[in-house]
Amino acid sequence: MPQRTVLLMDVGAEPMAILAARVQRLGLRAVRVKTPEEAIPVLSDRRHAVGAVVVPPDLPVPDLGGTLTALRTASGREHLAFLVAGTRMAAGERSRLARAGVTLPLWEPINAHPLRFQLNRAMAGPIPARRERGTRRAPSSHEVKMKAPRRMRRKEARLYTFSSRGVFLATPAPFLRGSRLEIEMGIPGLPRRIAGQVAMTNVAGNLLRSGLPPGMGIAFQGLGSDAEARLEMLVEKVLRRLEL
């Protein structure tokens, strides 16, 4: 299976070069081009397996919408996603980009977890084709502590995503599937300790999902309705900044 590729279009700007390096650290392939004309042969070559295209907000073309349509046509993918990278812009500029066909932003500053989350969203295909979930989830890089009931020592991990039903924790040493544990998320309005059970693991060398970091998915147990509502509110707050 070809390595997933992110195509980055820029005019040699340093921020885009840095972003390309960060994309590669996520295990994706980054290809940089300077113009839409250079992008077309890359997109049309199936060996590149381009899953998403990143553009700057000021791409120097007379018709951004027409340019993105031409690139999508060259790729042969009706739902090829375009992301914009840079500093968050005013609402009017965001609307202009959305009308042109840009689907998601990569607003700076953005660390590894939100970057991975946005690229996964972009490469997942059109929303109707995605697997339905009962709740929405959002990315984070918040540090949490966790402990198995019969263990004295707490371990540290980082949130990758969270929802009102559970979390995915990035850690090189996840607990076994089915393990019960307590999580200290340190978020105001939530219980100090939240009970959970490991629903799945993603282990280096035996990854179930290559788009996720090594770690484990945990389903909350016995979380009250007030805490669920608090988490749902936080998810929506985070996602608003990750959409145009």
Side-chain angles (χ1 to χ4, degrees), residues 9-208:
M9 197 178 310
D10 68 273
V11 290
E14 182 67 17
M16 200 66 84
I18 294 172
L19 180 60
R22 293 165 68 188
V23 167
Q24 290 175 321
R25 285 197 292 271
L26 296 178
L28 301 170
R29 182 167 176 254
V31 175
R32 294 175 64 198
V33 297
K34 292 184 177 181
T35 66
E37 290 75 18
E38 290 182 8
I40 286 176
V42 177
L43 288 166
S44 60
D45 189 338
R46 298 296 183 270
R47 291 174 298 178
H48 288 294
V50 175
V53 179
V54 180
V55 299
D58 55 351
L59 187 68
V61 293
D63 177 8
L64 181 60
T67 297
L68 299 190
T69 297
L71 294 176
R72 192 174 282 117
T73 300
S75 75
R77 294 185 56 197
E78 180 183 356
H79 300 289
L80 178 68
F82 292 90
L83 302 93
V84 60
T87 303
R88 183 178 173 86
M89 296 175 295
E93 283 298 294
R94 299 199 305 271
S95 295
R96 176 185 67 83
L97 292 170
R99 289 193 301 270
V102 177
T103 49
L104 293 169
L106 298 173
W107 302 134
E108 292 291 351
I110 185 168
N111 63 30
H113 286 183
L115 176 60
R116 185 193 292 272
F117 182 83
Q118 289 292 78
L119 291 175
N120 280 342
R121 291 175 80 189
M123 292 189 281
I127 291 176
R130 301 177 192 175
R131 185 178 64 181
E132 292 295 327
R133 287 178 174 264
T135 58
R136 299 232 291 172
R137 67 197 192 284
S140 176
S141 58
H142 188 73
E143 186 177 279
V144 302
K145 293 180 172 59
M146 55 186 176
K147 185 177 79 69
R150 289 186 294 275
R151 295 186 183 182
M152 296 296 294
R153 186 178 178 183
R154 294 182 299 176
K155 297 173 64 176
E156 294 182 348
R158 286 198 176 273
L159 280 178
Y160 170 60
T161 56
F162 69 99
S163 75
S164 62
R165 301 293 180 85
V167 295
F168 187 94
L169 299 181
T171 172
F175 289 105
L176 294 175
R177 183 178 178 183
S179 299
R180 297 181 184 276
L181 67 162
E182 293 179 338
I183 308 167
E184 297 180 15
M185 295 179 66
I187 297 177
L190 296 183
R192 181 169 179 267
R193 293 178 179 172
I194 300 175
Q197 185 172 18
V198 178
M200 60 86 70
T201 60
N202 218 45
V203 183
N206 188 30
L207 292 177
L208 296 177

